[in-house]
Amino acid sequence: MTRTAPSAGGVVVAENCSKWYGHVLGVSDVSWRLRGGIVGLLGPNGAGKSTLIKMMAGLLRPSRGSLAVFGKSPFDDVGVRRRIGYAPEHDKTWDELTALELVTFMARLAGVDDAKAQAAAKDAIAQMGMTDAMHRRVRGFSKGMRQRTKLATAIAHDPDFLLFDEPLTGVDPVARVDIVERIRKLAAAGKTVVVSSHVLYEIEALTSEIVVIYRGQLLAEGNVYEIRRLIDRHPHRIRIECDRPRTVAESLAKSDHVARIVFERAGVLIETRDPDRCYDELATAVVEHGVHVSSLSSPDNNLGAVFEYLTGERR
Amino acid sequence: MRSGWSTALVIAQLTLVRLFRGRAVWVSVVIAALPIVFASAVRAQGQHSNMQVDVLVFQTLLLAVLPAMFVASSIGEDIEDRTTTYLWSRPVPRWSVLAGKLVALAPLSAALVVGSWIASVFAGTHAMPSGLSILALATGAIAVCLVSAGIASLVPKHGMPLTIAYMLFFDIPVGVMPVSLAELSVTHQLRALAQVVPEIRDAPSGGAIGLAVLGTIWLGIALWRIRRLEA
């Protein structure tokens, strides 16, 4: 694998790019420039991540605006797709083939010489840790093996730009660590990689550079810590279901980090600007007053709630 | 980068590998054997009049099914299952995907139909069918493959059943109408080229041109649709 310099304008340049499926909005007025490296595309399901990735892969044509990869439209320009490797989100593939056959066919279709295609496929399969299973038919593969095979099809022709749509979905924790490591190696080898996920910690494991997409719009872009800081500026909510919610509320009411306390049917909801301190004080109050807690949860663990916060930030 | 035709050959190879690992080929061989069984049974009963005409009716039914089984299901499933995302994200011209499938499947369909025609005529008459009728069945099968490609690219989800329905409920009935509307029918043009049915007075060249025109129209529809499709 060779390190390739991105084109002068950036690997991807999207300008006011929108995509509709009939009346349904996929991506709305996205302007974005990707210069290189490994970038995480973060957003909840249905946010528009796959639409954006498919436009970069040349599978969808923008309804409005433009999107160029290496300066060319990937939908219209067949040649530029030689430099793109795409692993789709879905699991459907030609299950009648073995992993080696599948990856070899994909390499040949991507322009690798027939004589070299099988060697390239074997190399890609080895990079994804699938050598032992390469002569088995895809039909019998587990989710993790399918993900690895998909990634192998994307890298077999040694493209400069890799698009992995939800590559960690449904993968067991051990395989997840391994796949993350292999994707990082690709980026270290000079590839530009875009990885989508709806799980923040998956993206954090891969890269610190993230783009947050929600309801078809790019909400935020930059270092993951900046995004976290942005998120942290919003109160964190903790819901406590207990036998004496008023006692808990009184204990925390004087603390300066508590923004709001709301009594609910079975407990109390606390909004805090310092979750760590709040959890500590909560534990102290529960122990000191002998409060029986039946449930403790944070609605903000749902990423959708965080995106709602970020949407509010932009308004 | 590969040329479009080189890509089409890779796709043809991929299509055939997949096909021969499935059941469709064996099912189609069984279906193609039905006219032979029919012709043998008729001959065994001693009814020899118009044997070729009767077998040709059976063959048109075969034409309604076999190309749809191969071409329409191959194109329709790829679009519907989104496996086209693997193809269209490669440096592959859209037309070459269609061409690859047709290069693989149209000769196979034609070979099965022609093989069935020769075998059933021989089983029924102990004679070989005419060269013109063999040519008619082969070109007719290819034309129906193009019809299948057009319908499957327009309605991928139901490509195979719609192609069969189109052939059974439009093409074959229209083809036997004694009006100029019959010119729209692939099976009518096939009969004109085959020169087997005495009632059809059209010249064989007219049948050949008709098949070419109808095939080209459906191929044009398929290419137009595939070029615009998004995955």
Side-chain angles (χ1 to χ4, degrees), chain B residues 194-207:
Chain B
Q195 297 286 296
V196 169
V197 184
E199 292 79 21
I200 294 180
R201 305 258 180 253
D202 299 23
S205 58

Side-chain angles (χ1 to χ4, degrees), chain B residues 132-153:
Chain B
L132 206 55
S133 69
I134 292 172
L135 178 69
L137 264 297
T139 49
I142 292 168
V144 181
C145 285
L146 299 176
V147 172
S148 306
I151 292 174
S153 57

Side-chain angles (χ1 to χ4, degrees), chain A residues 19 54 57-61 75 78-79 81-82 86 88 90 92-94 96-98 101 105-106 108-110 112-114 137 150 153-154, chain B residues 1-2 6-7 9-11 13-14 17-18 21-22 78 81-94 101 227-231:
Chain A
K19 179 69 191 173
K54 282 181 179 176
L59 296 168
L60 297 175
R61 191 203 301 263
F75 188 89
V78 173
R81 295 205 292 267
R82 172 68 181 82
Y86 167 65
H90 64 80
K92 289 282 178 104
T93 182
W94 297 293
E96 305 90 347
L97 305 181
T98 66
E101 287 170 336
F105 270 119
M106 290 302 106
R108 290 171 69 194
L109 288 171
V112 179
D113 287 346
D114 290 352
R137 291 199 186 175
K150 278 194 294 184
T153 64
Chain B
M1 206 171 77
R2 285 177 183 276
S6 170
T7 302
L9 290 178
V10 177
I11 288 169
Q13 196 184 344
L14 169 63
V17 169
R18 292 185 58 219
R21 288 188 186 167
D78 266 359
D81 289 349
R82 293 183 290 164
T83 40
T84 45
T85 54
Y86 285 98
L87 301 175
W88 296 349
S89 61
R90 262 71 188 172
V92 167
R94 296 284 180 95
K101 288 183 180 292
R227 197 163 162 265
R228 293 176 60 86
L229 269 176
E230 295 180 315

Side-chain angles (χ1 to χ4, degrees), chain A residues 75, chain B residues 75 79 88 94 98 149-156 218-230:
Chain A
F75 188 89
Chain B
I75 294 172
I79 296 171
W88 296 349
R94 296 284 180 95
L98 199 61
I151 292 174
S153 57
L154 286 171
V155 194
W218 280 105
L219 179 62
I221 290 170
L223 287 171
W224 168 80
R225 183 64 183 148
I226 288 284
R227 197 163 162 265
R228 293 176 60 86
L229 269 176
E230 295 180 315

Side-chain angles (χ1 to χ4, degrees), chain A residues 243-244 246-252 254 281-292:
Chain A
D243 57 349
R244 290 155 63 195
R246 195 161 293 278
T247 306
V248 172
E250 281 170 5
S251 302
L252 291 168
K254 296 174 213 120
E281 289 176 14
L282 199 55
T284 306
V286 166
V287 172
E288 274 183 6
H289 300 287
V291 177
H292 176 71

